[in-house]
Amino acid sequence: MTKSVNFIVLQASVVFNQQLSLFAEEYPDTKDGRNAAFRSAIDKLKFKKAVRISPRITEYVLVYKANITNDILYCQLAKRTQMDTYKLTENTIKQETIDSYPPLDVFINLKQQQFAVELNTKILSASAIVTTVKNLINSLVKEYNIFFNTIENKKEFWDLVSDKNFIQEISFDMVVPNFFGATSAANDLVTGAKSNLNADSVELSIKNKKGGLKASLDAIDSYVRYSSAAGSWKLKIKAEGESRYRTVSSTDCCKKKEIESNILDLVKKMDSDWHVDNDVYKGLVDKLNGLFEYEE
């Protein structure tokens, strides 16, 4: 029986600083301009082959492996860990500590500006993946920022704010417009903050300390849709009978995509001499495309 591997999908949002007008001609603040800037960052990764960051005492690395298609890249993400080994020398066994980099498979869709990252919580949690990918990619660029958020199931949000739960706080963190520009209360709020204040994101927090918030569809649906596409949300809720409020974030509700491990095995064999039947290759690409979320 073929084993399946879980992936989460991250959406990248490129945000330009209005004060950095030097780069306006190279990367106009349009959908195409932001995508060109995103591709430029990934080109730097391909050129360097690997990018490393070392916040605090650990180390993270993103390694470029191969192009599957013109728009889909294969990479691996790893966190340095240490493990003990024992070596026999004559009649003595010595303990040695070595660095280990257990990898997570990563696929980048340049057209969609999305990362599909293998989810293995023994290595990195979903929230840690978001932070790590953001820090690694932004280490490659200086002229602009690239934000990342998980793509989640909006139904889970509405299930959490149903009448069965007491709601104390709803927070939305929304990045400036990127892949969509539909008119809505959320879009108007964030666009205005960017135009008037040069903000790169807006956090909206709605509270009722006694847990009496009413999350009606008409009132907050645009913020839910916006933060799910380009940002994040957070709730403080408790069910009837519970004594304490608990915090649930959008990364806790991120969508999981599956791909068969034998497909991943095939990808890992790719190198400059790798050849595969056209039908097999087409099937591989179809499977990888299924990892990503596409615009409606």
Side-chain angles (χ1 to χ4, degrees), residues 125-192:
S125 66
S127 59
I129 287 173
V130 176
T131 301
T132 301
V133 168
K134 176 184 175 182
N135 291 339
L136 282 162
I137 297 302
N138 278 283
S139 71
L140 295 167
V141 298
K142 295 181 180 179
E143 303 88 358
Y144 47 90
N145 290 320
I146 304 180
F147 291 79
F148 287 86
N149 63 275
T150 55
I151 294 178
E152 53 274 344
N153 189 340
K154 292 184 285 293
K155 180 180 181 300
E156 292 197 37
F157 175 91
W158 291 111
D159 287 344
L160 288 166
V161 298
S162 65
D163 293 338
K164 64 183 180 181
N165 286 327
F166 296 94
I167 311 166
Q168 189 180 71
E169 182 178 349
I170 305 174
S171 299
F172 301 104
D173 192 0
M174 297 170 288
V175 181
V176 297
N178 190 8
F179 258 44
F180 59 98
T183 300
S184 67
N187 190 72
D188 293 344
L189 173 66
V190 179
T191 301

Side-chain angles (χ1 to χ4, degrees), residues 3-267:
K3 179 183 176 182
S4 293
V5 179
N6 278 327
F7 282 75
I8 61 173
V9 183
L10 312 186
Q11 179 66 59
S13 299
V14 176
V15 180
F16 297 117
N17 186 325
Q18 291 176 348
Q19 294 176 339
L20 298 178
S21 57
L22 173 64
F23 303 97
E25 293 184 6
E26 183 178 3
Y27 301 125
D29 198 0
T30 62
K31 178 178 177 179
D32 289 341
R34 291 187 290 266
N35 187 253
F38 176 77
R39 287 174 179 265
S40 175
I42 303 304
D43 282 343
K44 291 178 181 179
L45 168 63
K46 292 173 64 176
F47 177 78
K48 293 172 68 72
K49 302 298 183 184
V51 57
R52 300 169 183 263
I53 56 171
S54 300
R56 299 177 184 173
I57 60 173
T58 191
E59 180 186 49
Y60 301 89
V61 59
L62 181 64
V63 179
Y64 165 71
K65 303 289 288 184
N67 270 47
I68 308 298
T69 70
N70 289 335
D71 285 325
I72 298 179
L73 282 62
Y74 172 50
C75 302
Q76 287 187 315
L77 172 68
K79 173 186 176 181
R80 183 184 65 198
T81 61
Q82 292 188 320
M83 59 185 298
D84 293 331
T85 63
Y86 299 86
K87 291 188 175 181
L88 176 64
T89 304
E90 295 182 352
N91 61 342
T92 302
I93 297 177
K94 291 185 177 181
Q95 178 180 337
E96 294 183 0
T97 301
I98 62 172
D99 288 339
S100 177
Y101 292 83
L104 298 172
D105 288 320
V106 178
F107 297 96
I108 303 175
N109 188 313
L110 296 175
K111 186 176 181 181
Q112 297 298 119
Q113 291 185 198
Q114 292 176 0
F115 279 57
V117 185
E118 179 184 350
L119 181 60
N120 182 341
T121 54
K122 292 181 179 179
I123 299 176
L124 286 173
S125 66
S127 59
I129 287 173
V130 176
T131 301
T132 301
V133 168
K134 176 184 175 182
N135 291 339
L136 282 162
I137 297 302
N138 278 283
S139 71
L140 295 167
V141 298
K142 295 181 180 179
E143 303 88 358
Y144 47 90
N145 290 320
I146 304 180
F147 291 79
F148 287 86
N149 63 275
T150 55
I151 294 178
E152 53 274 344
N153 189 340
K154 292 184 285 293
K155 180 180 181 300
E156 292 197 37
F157 175 91
W158 291 111
D159 287 344
L160 288 166
V161 298
S162 65
D163 293 338
K164 64 183 180 181
N165 286 327
F166 296 94
I167 311 166
Q168 189 180 71
E169 182 178 349
I170 305 174
S171 299
F172 301 104
D173 192 0
M174 297 170 288
V175 181
V176 297
N178 190 8
F179 258 44
F180 59 98
T183 300
S184 67
N187 190 72
D188 293 344
L189 173 66
V190 179
T191 301
K194 181 184 181 184
S195 300
N196 300 324
L197 302 170
N198 195 28
D200 56 21
S201 64
V202 174
E203 184 174 347
L204 175 64
S205 186
I206 308 164
K207 301 179 181 180
N208 184 318
K209 292 185 177 180
K210 294 186 180 296
L213 282 180
K214 300 296 182 184
S216 68
L217 179 67
D218 292 340
I220 65 171
D221 182 56
S222 69
Y223 303 106
V224 176
R225 288 187 286 108
Y226 195 112
S227 59
S228 295
S232 60
W233 53 258
K234 182 171 63 177
L235 298 169
K236 289 186 72 173
I237 60 173
K238 72 173 183 178
E240 187 174 358
E242 293 181 342
S243 58
R244 295 184 179 181
Y245 285 89
R246 56 192 170 93
T247 299
V248 182
S249 68
S250 50
T251 54
D252 298 323
C253 302
C254 57
K255 287 185 177 180
K256 310 292 193 305
K257 298 292 189 78
E258 289 187 348
I259 193 167
E260 295 86 350
S261 57
N262 60 342
I263 296 294
L264 297 175
D265 291 339
L266 183 61
V267 170

